[in-house]
Amino acid sequence: EDQVTQSPEALRLQEGESSSLNCSYTVSGLRGLFWYRQDPGKGPEFLFTLYSAGEEKEKERLKATLTKKESFLHITAPKPEDSATYLCAVQVPGNQFYFGTGTSLTVIP
Amino acid sequence: SQTIHQWPATLVQPVGSPLSLECTVEGTSNPNLYWYRQAAGRGLQLLFYSVGIGQISSEVPQNLSASRPQDRQFILSSKKLLLSDSGFYLCAGRGTNEKLFFGSGTQLSVL
């Protein structure tokens, strides 16, 4: 059974305190791994797509990496505006996308 | 750009009443379309997906159904709502890019 697990469920950081979010997956035939940001009451916004182990993508203070079993979203020197829920999703053969339960990030000024 | 229009933003319905949520897609043709539900503080649960007109795949047995009468239109329905149908409903599409793009969601409260 395809499964996506994110940890931690919630994370509180001081402004400037770097950390990492984890997304581990068990799927048959990974087509791609996606990271999204979701603000309360809104639809998720796309951040990154990763396709193969060893791949890395960066955008401002965020960097996503991928191994054969998990992905990390590294947040460097976060700011309060980075507070949101971060979701990862896997695409499997057959057009389905499965999401993890998300990590709720709070950055304290 | 690829855009999902989804409405209404908020909906309060009594138990046993019918439901119809609609989303439309702009900026791409023949998209794959998806309905997700998100419970408070939880991840997205895939409900239905469609690869074309009239083609619907259901992920979980439930009180809901979906239809795709036109290429860029996806409808989520129920004949009789249950309390457990409450949640945040998101329509998503996948067009020429591999990524999913989302609508703004509908917060459904069944009372």
Side-chain angles (χ1 to χ4, degrees), chain A residues 36 42-45, chain B residues 1-9 21-36 48 50 68 70-75 88-96 99-106:
Chain A
Y36 286 82
K42 297 187 177 181
E45 293 182 7
Chain B
S1 63
Q2 299 169 112
T3 307
I4 295 269
H5 297 282
Q6 190 180 346
W7 66 92
L21 299 179
E22 183 174 342
C23 82
T24 58
V25 182
E26 286 184 359
T28 185
S29 58
N30 196 30
N32 291 344
L33 296 175
Y34 304 80
W35 278 110
Y36 285 90
F48 301 96
S50 171
R68 186 168 176 179
Q70 300 180 36
D71 180 49
R72 300 180 188 183
Q73 184 184 30
F74 204 23
I75 299 171
F88 190 51
Y89 288 82
L90 287 158
C91 180
R94 183 172 73 93
T96 53
K99 65 183 182 183
L100 287 180
F101 53 101
F102 285 85
S104 54
T106 295

Side-chain angles (χ1 to χ4, degrees), chain A residues 38-60:
Chain A
Q38 186 179 25
D39 292 304
K42 297 187 177 181
E45 293 182 7
F46 171 77
L47 293 174
F48 303 108
T49 307
L50 302 166
Y51 291 106
S52 57
E55 189 174 359
E56 299 182 354
K57 294 276 181 71
E58 283 190 69
K59 180 181 179 180
E60 297 181 351

